Amino acid sequence: MPTAEDNRITLHGFNNLTKTLSFNMYDICYTKTKEEREAYIAYIDEQYNSDRLTSILSAVSGLIGAHVLNTAKQDYVPQGASVTLLVSEGPVVEVPEASYEESPGPLPGNVVMQLDKSHVTVHTYPEYHPSEGISTFRADIDVSTCGEISPLKALNYLIRSFDTDIMTIDYRVRGFTRDINGEKLFIDHDINSIQNYIPEEIVRQYDMIDVNVYQEHIFHTKCRLREFDLNNYLFGYGKEQLSPEEQEAITRQLKAEMDDIFYGKNRA
């Protein structure tokens, strides 16, 4: 069996390919009253404030073997937060075989490979319906790298860092680099699907749809949580405090909201 070292491409100079992972997640909640809505948004704002988001992005930087050069973070009024890390090449370690295979990435504590000047960003967007009792929280994370590592290796950790009902994941490779013979390389690793970078136990929890443009090195995966437990979508109380009719109406409303987000259009 070929080793990771055997699979490495010998390049002329630095690897100039830019690889970008965009991870977009949604958390959905039913908030019947204004007080419930305000409490939910306050909870989300505290749970995903700029300090915690900085900690998550710092762990991502460690996973892809990067040094953090600069951190910019901001908590917004009335809600939301943003963090941007400028990162550069980190410690160079022996290249693990998994870096050349479609497989889930490691969790914090493992340096994977090397990269050069790159960035990691996150923005959060709490919002709510003006009248129907639905509140949502969205986080957008971009991991952009130059060098050998694919930022898809950070996906496993990102999924585990958020309580996620719906995920939209994009991966694209831009630019080109050259091998020692001067031949242009527009991608330096095989990829069939983003799903192959998600652990099997997580894949089993979600319905997933791929929309890929292989010839353009564009990969897109949408994920929606399969199991629905109404208790996971009520803030501050349980479904046993609702009548069967209320449970049915709220369930229908929440599932319609999830359909809208998953399919990217109003389906009612």
Side-chain angles (χ1 to χ4, degrees):
M1 176 182 294
T3 65
E5 192 68 29
D6 295 331
N7 289 331
R8 295 188 70 177
I9 300 170
T10 304
L11 301 180
H12 168 68
F14 180 71
N15 189 331
N16 292 314
L17 291 169
T18 298
K19 304 162 190 174
T20 302
L21 170 69
S22 295
F23 175 75
N24 172 237
M25 60 75 62
Y26 290 87
D27 178 73
I28 301 164
C29 183
Y30 180 78
T31 50
K32 182 167 58 175
T33 66
K34 177 182 177 182
E35 290 73 24
E36 288 177 12
R37 184 185 70 212
E38 291 176 347
Y40 170 76
I41 290 177
Y43 165 79
I44 286 294
D45 239 21
E46 176 60 30
Q47 185 75 3
Y48 297 107
N49 60 37
S50 63
D51 287 337
R52 179 165 183 225
L53 294 173
T54 300
S55 177
I56 292 173
L57 296 196
S58 296
V60 167
S61 300
L63 285 172
I64 60 178
H67 286 311
V68 177
L69 299 177
N70 184 62
T71 301
K73 61 181 181 179
Q74 181 66 51
D75 290 298
Y76 298 113
V77 176
Q79 66 258 341
S82 295
V83 179
T84 299
L85 305 187
L86 179 64
V87 298
S88 70
E89 180 178 339
V92 179
V93 298
E94 183 178 351
V95 180
E97 184 175 353
S99 294
Y100 291 93
E101 296 178 350
E102 290 184 280
S103 60
L107 295 176
N110 301 301
V111 174
V112 180
M113 284 187 65
Q114 68 183 80
L115 70 159
D116 207 326
K117 302 171 187 68
S118 306
H119 67 269
V120 188
T121 66
V122 59
H123 305 284
T124 67
Y125 305 90
E127 72 89 46
Y128 55 89
H129 191 281
S131 60
E132 291 190 359
I134 296 289
S135 295
T136 63
F137 165 69
R138 183 177 110 236
D140 293 342
I141 298 176
D142 287 321
V143 184
S144 184
T145 70
C146 296
E148 296 179 358
I149 183 62
S150 166
L152 284 165
K153 292 299 178 181
L155 186 55
N156 182 12
Y157 172 70
L158 286 174
I159 293 172
R160 295 175 189 274
S161 296
F162 293 89
D163 185 13
T164 306
D165 294 313
I166 295 172
M167 300 182 288
T168 301
I169 307 164
D170 295 282
Y171 177 67
R172 57 195 179 275
V173 182
R174 289 291 177 263
F176 66 87
T177 193
R178 294 183 188 269
D179 65 18
I180 57 175
N181 298 315
E183 185 80 9
K184 294 185 185 72
L185 301 173
F186 294 94
I187 193 167
D188 62 353
H189 64 98
D190 295 329
I191 175 171
N192 177 262
S193 171
I194 292 172
Q195 293 188 39
N196 296 334
Y197 291 86
I198 302 174
E200 182 59 34
E201 67 271 20
I202 294 177
V203 170
R204 288 194 295 266
Q205 297 174 27
Y206 289 85
D207 291 317
M208 297 188 175
I209 297 175
D210 278 359
V211 182
N212 300 325
V213 186
Y214 295 100
Q215 66 271 26
E216 296 295 335
H217 312 307
I218 298 173
F219 303 87
H220 174 81
T221 298
K222 296 194 293 187
C223 315
R224 173 181 170 160
L225 200 61
R226 286 179 175 169
E227 293 190 6
F228 183 91
D229 182 348
L230 182 57
N231 277 330
N232 293 333
Y233 300 90
L234 301 175
F235 190 75
Y237 58 95
K239 63 184 180 182
E240 65 279 356
Q241 296 172 252
L242 302 171
S243 69
E245 293 76 18
E246 287 176 311
Q247 292 183 35
E248 182 180 350
I250 294 170
T251 296
R252 188 167 54 248
Q253 192 174 338
L254 285 165
K255 288 185 174 181
E257 182 78 3
M258 294 172 75
D259 281 347
D260 289 350
I261 296 171
F262 185 64
Y263 292 105
K265 58 183 179 182
N266 293 306
R267 297 169 60 83

